[in-house]
Amino acid sequence: MRQHPEAALTVIRMATAAIFTAHGFQKIFTAGLPSVTETFTRSGVPLPLLTAPLSAVLELSGGLLLLLGLASRPLAGTLAALVVVTQLPGLLSGPVGWGRLEVPWLLLCGTLAVLIGGPGLTVSAGTRATHPPEGAGPRRRARPASRRTP
């Protein structure tokens, strides 16, 4: 069976991006930033007045950019840090059941997969993202053979 790691990374990236985009949209347009700030305050998230709007905007815009495969690795690292900062305090403050852990865990794993493995296939005509294959170094031009005259 043929392996398709680039396609697998694409699926992981797009699923993770869709969840972040939906959560960012919900925080901004459905729940509202005051409600998110209150939730962050109760959960013990540091600097909730700053973290709540930053989280909402980063999830929405970062999720959309990640969906397109743009700046995937830096975004994945930033979103992974966001998950740790916003979710860890709430998880440590009370009993941790699978229901509270599953979405943050999947988002963290998805962002780390993109950070480590790259974005997979991008929207630019379904081509591979621009990262060199393993072991590829800079190419050198072949030197023309020198001619010796007798």
Side-chain angles (χ1 to χ4, degrees), residues 1 5-7 15 17 22 24 27 29 36 47 50 55 73 79 83 96 98 116 120 132 135 137 147:
M1 183 174 188
E6 295 291 326
K27 284 178 179 161
F29 299 109
V36 175
L47 303 169
L50 174 67
S55 170
R73 281 189 161 148
L79 290 169
V83 169
V96 179
W98 182 245
I116 295 166
R147 291 192 204 179

Side-chain angles (χ1 to χ4, degrees), residues 65-85:
L65 290 172
L66 194 63
L67 191 64
L68 296 172
L70 301 173
S72 296
R73 281 189 161 148
L75 270 172
T78 304
L79 290 169
L82 179 72
V83 169
V84 170
V85 168

Side-chain angles (χ1 to χ4, degrees), residues 27-28 31-42 48-49 52-53:
K27 284 178 179 161
I28 294 171
L33 292 177
S35 175
V36 175
T37 304
E38 183 182 322
T39 302
F40 278 18
T41 303
R42 278 185 281 130
L49 289 172

